[in-house]
Amino acid sequence: MRVEASGLSDVGRSRDQNEDCFAVDTAQRVFVVADGMGGHQHGEVASRLAVDCILENLGRPEEIDEGPASSLPRAIQMSHRRIWRASLGDETLAGMGTTVVALVMTDGQAVIAHVGDSRAYRYRQGTLEQLTRDHSWVGEQVAAGLLSAEQARLHPLKNVITRALGGENGLEVEVGQWAWRDGDLFLLCSDGLTGMLEDAEIAECLSAEQGLEGAGEELVRRANERGGLDNITVVLVRATE
Ligand code: CA
């Protein structure tokens, strides 16, 4: 198999700081997007810690043997505790947290784990499918059939997330795996993309005959065109046999 990938993060048009963070590690076939939050712009500390800690833990030989369906959620749990410990040692970091969505490509499977409202999508033969379910208040309303995806996207409480890395309490990480097919394109993104663009618009950007880098730039350009109210991060991963 061959895996190619591209990542891009943009501050957007409304924020002063970029508190998103991402990693594209084609050697380990690990891809991560994290969207940090916290006072004094310290969300960027949380999202950076999450990404670094996940990559570090997945690289340990015993974790490689175990397989990503167990090692990936465990690495996220470890980064959750690491962020919590870091916030104890420095009062300016108190309350910092982050979402995360991470993808590990194996020979047959795309293993995806997430916490919060950063998302993973799969684009296959012209169809875009959201693979993750947002851990957010509006996400729960959508799951219960009380709001449509479009109502949720525009809802005043859309930023209320129900799970994040960095708190004192235990964390439930959601993990799933999907058998990939030749040419499948996976998108990981922060809500600065999905808050600005409907799924149909995202699909349109992915359908154009351009490289991954061009598609990523187009997604960011359009999200900014729609207002760019938040930091925008996209990671695109294509698997071929
Ligand atoms: Ca965000």
Side-chain angles (χ1 to χ4, degrees), residues 32-37 50 54 72-80 83 97-102 112-120 132-136 161-167 169-175 189-191:
V32 189
V33 167
D35 175 353
M37 63 210 91
I54 289 166
L72 183 55
R74 194 160 47 235
I76 292 174
Q77 295 285 3
M78 290 168 100
S79 63
H80 169 56
I83 294 164
T98 185
T99 72
V100 79
V101 58
I112 295 167
H114 83 291
V115 174
D117 64 356
S118 295
R119 292 182 183 170
T132 52
R133 195 173 46 91
D134 292 350
H135 302 141
S136 65
I161 60 168
T162 48
R163 291 188 214 177
L165 278 68
N169 298 324
L171 181 73
E172 201 183 330
V173 177
E174 192 167 336
V175 62
C189 60
S190 62
D191 69 334

Side-chain angles (χ1 to χ4, degrees), residues 15 20 35-36 117 159 190-192 230-231:
R15 302 277 174 93
D20 286 358
D35 175 353
D117 64 356
N159 292 325
S190 62
D191 69 334
D230 197 358
N231 308 142

Side-chain angles (χ1 to χ4, degrees), residues 89-127:
D90 179 343
E91 68 179 27
T92 67
L93 299 179
M96 70 173 173
T98 185
T99 72
V100 79
V101 58
L103 161 68
V104 178
M105 296 297 295
T106 71
D107 284 338
Q109 303 282 321
V111 179
I112 295 167
H114 83 291
V115 174
D117 64 356
S118 295
R119 292 182 183 170
Y121 287 87
R122 182 187 60 207
Y123 184 73
R124 173 183 285 172
Q125 293 173 338
T127 303

